[in-house]
Structures are given as structure tokens and as C-alpha cells.
Amino acid sequence: MAGGPDGGAANVILITLDTLRADRLSSYGSDRVATPHIDRLASEGVLFTNAASTVPFTLPAHSSMMTGTYPPRHGVRENVGYVLDESLPTLAERLAAGGWTTAAFVSAFVLDSRWGIARGFETFFDEFEVAEGERANLGSVQRDGRETIDAAVRWLDDRPEGPFFLWLHRFDAHDPYEPPEPFRTQYAGRPYEGEVAYVDWLVGDFRDALAERDLLDTSLLLLTGDHGEGLGQHREGFHGLSLIHISEPTRLDLASRMPSSA
């Protein structure tokens, strides 16, 4: 694990943005949405241009991230009806054993602790209330990213001394696409793009919170999507059927990008 500037262990901050297409980010050459805050992180660190999701579902994709294995190995193939294989160590368990304080803040019921994804986290912010009428569509049970970020920032202010592993999950770009103002008006008729712009704005807000607490220079910050969205390509409106390849990849000048805090 990389060390901090004082020679101690670095904090690890993982931000996962659900249902986010790379071709809706201006750092990847898009002119559809303005994403200045994600672009800033890309310019401050390393931008990966060759990455793929293991599966187009939230729980199994995150299970792969946390275990480094594919769905046939970790046993989670869909969002409902599967539990992460207890025999596999998770990233949070590894870091907790190494002395990191661990905390996770998730925004969707499909990542509830009952599915095994919380193993290794000393703090796991889920606390979803599922009404009887919502049980038929558990994927719709979510919270606004603003609430999740506020909970994560409160934890940062009260955390114990020493290095920490923080996982922050955002679900806003997932359907139903209902961006708040001013993004609803700015992207009228394009609600998915409005949600992406809102996600970007909150990423900037969380980065500011980290900077105010002098955590950027002592942390390894990773930002990624878990999978994309069909948006009509290959006859898929949403996601779950295909791992869609984004055509016409953007050529990027990576030689000028120097790794730093992101």
C-alpha cells in the first residue's frame, strides 16, 4: 500500500458512481455534459482509458471490486437473491486487518449489508426502509447522493486517529432519471445527462470537503463507475443485458498527466 507524505500509511478513498457512461464525461472527450469536477480529478491524477466492468449490475459489479474476482467465483450474479461468498476475503477485511479504520456509505438498497458486501467495514451506512409496495422493484430503493455525502463527511469529522478506508457510493445516475434543479432545466429533455451533471457537482462538493480537512495529500483517491447504461444502444434502454462497448474512443494525451492525489 502506498504511503503518505510523512511515511505513514495512506488513506484509501473509493468513490463509485453507479450507472455512469464514460462517453458522458468531458474528460473522455464528451461534449454532451459539462463535468468539470470529475475532469479536475482526472487532470490531477491518472486517467484510465482501458477499463471494463465485470457485469452490468450494481451488487455483482461491486462484489468484483471488493474481492478482485468474477461473478462465477464470488457467487453474486444479480442484485437480488445472491449473497457474497463468505470464503472470499474482501478489500475492507484486508485493510481492517492491516490497521485501517473502514467505513462505507451506500446509496441503494441493492448494496444493503444483508447481501454480504459490508464485510470488513466497521461502519456501514445503509439504513434503507423498504415499503411493502417497493419489494417488487428493490432497485428503485435509493437515497439522494447529498444525504450519503453528508453522512460520510460527518464520519470523517468523528473518525478515530490513523489511516482509513472510505467507500462512497452514489446512485443518482441510475433510473429513474430525476435530476434536481438547476440541472433539470439545463438538460431539459435529457434527464440522464442532467443526472450526470448532478453527480459531477456532488463529486466536487465531496472533493472540497476532503480538501478542507487536508485529506487529499494523504489519501489514495479512486473514482470509477460500476457499469454503464444502454440509452437505446443495441436495443437496450437501461442495463442488465449487455456490456456495451463505447465506439469511437477518444485519443488522450496521457504523457502530460502526472499522478498525484487522485
Side-chain angles (χ1 to χ4, degrees), residues 40-84:
R40 181 180 183 182
L41 288 178
S43 68
E44 292 173 333
V46 176
L47 179 66
F48 291 86
T49 58
N50 184 16
S53 176
T54 57
V55 58
F57 287 111
T58 299
L59 178 61
H62 283 89
S63 296
S64 290
M65 290 184 209
M66 294 300 171
T67 64
T69 63
Y70 288 95
R73 178 66 183 89
H74 60 60
V76 182
R77 296 176 178 269
E78 237 274 32
N79 286 333
V80 179
Y82 296 88
V83 177
L84 184 61

Side-chain angles (χ1 to χ4, degrees), residues 75-97:
V76 182
R77 296 176 178 269
E78 237 274 32
N79 286 333
V80 179
Y82 296 88
V83 177
L84 184 61
D85 187 341
E86 292 185 0
S87 69
L88 289 175
T90 67
L91 176 60
E93 287 177 317
R94 295 277 194 181
L95 289 175

